[in-house]
Amino acid sequence: MVTTIVFLVSAYLILTCYLGFRAYRGSINTAEDYFVAGRTVTWFHLGLTFFATWFSTLAFLGVSGFNFKRGVSWYYAQGTFWMLAPLAAWLLGRKLWERGRECGYITPGDLLADSYDSNLIKLLVGIMGMMALIPYILVQLVGIGKVLEASTNGVISYPVAVIVTAVATAFYTVIGGIRAIIWTDVIQGILFLGVTLLTVFIAVDAAGGLAIGLATAQQVRPEAFTFDVSNIGVPLTTIIIWTPGLVLLPHLWQRNYMAKSKESFAKGLVVLSAMSFVMLIATMLIGATAISFISDLQDSDKLVPVIFRDYAPTFLPLMVLATFAAGMSTIDSQLLSASSVIIRDVFGLQKIEPKKEKLLGRVVVICLIILLANLALLPESQGAIFTLASKGTAVAFLLLVPLLGALNQAPKQVGLVTLISGLSVFLLLELKVISWSLPFGFGSPVAAFLVQALLCIYFSYRKLAKQ
Amino acid sequence: MKEDSLIAKNFQQRDALWVAAYMLVFAVSLVPFFISSLNGPDSTLLGFPALTLWLTCCFFTFLLLTFIGYHFVFRSWTDRVGV
């Protein structure tokens, strides 16, 4: 078993490094090619890279566990934002594609700073981008390290797993850039979708069939199949902040720049929708039917490994490989995105020669992965990382109002005021400096959004009144 | 010029209709939460847990809307935007 896992993971790492080298051979020596593939991505690759990047280790392991633990409340939130996300990408993402093509944008800061004519906005967006990206990369590294150590009974120790993952991901990201990432995303996406479907068959079989399994689960834990309306704000907050995530998270924002044509962009969203639906039903069935045959699980993240361990141990190496692939497919994208955000948004170096920017991008990726791998090896930082990672999407959500303003020619003050006010309100509420919350369980990102929206409306009307 | 504005108008109407369809399905998905016969510990529909089946149907409808959107909304955008 352990030998099989080591063999599969090693073979997979060699494959990703080969793809990185192939991408390097076919690349053009510009930052636009390195970070956004020269805006030449076709529909199939676009759909798969959106899918593989959007669905991380969290989706593969965590979501099934959330369905098991929280039942229909989670299913409602997850299903709604997964299926509405392509709509958000259609409404906003195509505007990003058009503007990106027209003006050569590479990062979120490029578009917002250009629209509002403000370098301060660029810096703020860059800092917020890093807040959204860095903790999430760390969570993936920590997650992969733990899974590999546990599944190999320590043959691959946690530090070795983290270092090997970091080195391999950095290698193909550094030499191949976004093209290598997209090629590996295609394989990674198909792999973990396939293993997820395999998990469904195992779980449904263990439950004694679909109808019997769901009926038994409803008897065992009926509260998992009812919805608490008094707390409707909790799933609605998840839906509100995650639905535009396909556009607002920096590494996904940049994918909106990459389509070869309008046709590619539109078809890519259809591919993403179809694959999202399959994952949605699969993870729901895994979690829901598992209620009928698993009773004492403290950590819901362990649901899928437990199902394989107890009901299909022969396929456990595949599950480990899929987890590994899911994590790498998110780490590589976020790593490259963080590199571009640091260079262009934080340090404002977008006007340097394209070849130099590409070289600098590579150097930053290497520096970042060394830093992050070291952080992942510190056990005392892991608790805070998980908390921060969950807030990353909320921070990215604060870019929605400034983006809407930018796309609708809002006055310059809107960009700066909404960014600062949104981030301030969010941090004041999250850090409990102000003890206040919205009714019905709505979270602090929604409060921040409401403040941003009001300020945007105020300044927009002031501009109209002056005219 | 006149032809362009007609295309633009049709395009915006299709966009709006499509978004309205999504929002309608979103609103409909919430309805059973407020009906005790569907939101109860023993509630079933066609032998399956009621809310689970209802939400699955709503999510499938979202998927259908994406396909419909590709044919009726995306394509009008592609025709409109040009190369």
Side-chain angles (χ1 to χ4, degrees), chain A residues 59-225:
Chain A
F60 178 59
L61 296 180
V63 166
S64 301
F66 289 157
N67 275 294
F68 172 83
K69 187 175 170 182
R70 305 184 205 171
V72 81
S73 294
W74 172 256
Y75 181 46
Y76 168 64
Q78 167 202 343
T80 306
F81 79 73
W82 277 8
M83 299 314 295
L84 284 184
L87 172 67
W90 169 248
L91 293 174
L92 294 173
R94 67 180 180 184
K95 300 284 186 187
L96 299 187
W97 180 79
E98 287 174 1
R99 295 274 185 104
R101 191 168 201 83
E102 185 183 328
C103 304
Y105 297 146
I106 288 178
T107 63
D110 283 345
L111 186 149
L112 290 173
D114 201 27
S115 300
Y116 291 115
D117 190 24
S118 167
N119 287 327
L120 180 56
I121 285 178
K122 206 176 197 6
L123 175 63
L124 272 174
V125 171
I127 293 169
M128 289 169 73
M130 298 306 286
M131 288 170 70
L133 290 170
I134 296 300
Y136 216 85
I137 299 173
L138 274 170
V139 165
Q140 304 300 316
L141 275 175
V142 168
I144 289 175
K146 286 185 173 179
V147 166
L148 282 179
E149 184 182 55
S151 61
T152 61
N153 296 322
V155 171
I156 303 176
S157 66
Y158 174 81
V160 168
V162 167
I163 291 168
V164 167
T165 305
V167 169
T169 311
F171 177 78
Y172 70 77
T173 303
V174 166
I175 68 165
I178 193 65
R179 291 185 187 279
I181 289 170
I182 290 171
W183 287 355
T184 54
D185 277 350
V186 171
I187 296 169
Q188 288 158 348
I190 292 171
L191 177 61
F192 74 74
L193 181 63
V195 174
T196 303
L197 291 174
L198 174 65
T199 314
V200 173
F201 285 114
I202 297 168
V204 169
D205 184 61
L210 180 62
I212 292 173
L214 288 174
T216 307
Q218 193 172 20
Q219 286 169 9
V220 167
R221 193 145 40 100
E223 62 273 19
F225 296 90

Side-chain angles (χ1 to χ4, degrees), chain A residues 72 75-80 83-84 86-87 90-91 94-95 97-98 101 210-211 214-215 218 222-229 232 236 239 261-263 265-267 269-270 273-275 277 280-281 284 288, chain B residues 11 15 18-19 22-23 26 29-30 33-34 38-44 47-53 55-64 66-67 69-70 73-83:
Chain A
V72 81
Y75 181 46
Y76 168 64
Q78 167 202 343
T80 306
M83 299 314 295
L84 284 184
L87 172 67
W90 169 248
L91 293 174
R94 67 180 180 184
K95 300 284 186 187
W97 180 79
E98 287 174 1
R101 191 168 201 83
L210 180 62
L214 288 174
Q218 193 172 20
E223 62 273 19
F225 296 90
T226 59
F227 189 89
D228 180 7
V229 177
I232 197 169
L236 283 179
I239 292 168
S261 66
K262 54 216 179 292
E263 188 80 6
F265 186 82
K267 275 185 178 175
L269 289 184
V270 176
S273 276
M275 295 183 78
F277 181 75
L280 171 66
I281 303 306
M284 180 275 289
Chain B
F11 169 65
D15 253 355
W18 190 53
V19 172
Y22 264 97
M23 292 301 105
F26 176 72
S29 71
L30 290 167
F33 296 159
F34 301 95
L38 292 175
N39 189 14
D42 302 318
S43 303
T44 58
F48 293 100
L51 291 184
T52 303
L53 182 61
L55 290 174
T56 302
C57 292
C58 291
F59 299 148
F60 182 69
T61 307
F62 281 139
L63 180 65
L64 288 181
T66 308
F67 286 117
Y70 175 71
V73 181
F74 297 170
R75 282 195 171 170
S76 70
W77 172 55
T78 62
D79 291 338
R80 174 76 182 91
V81 169
V83 178

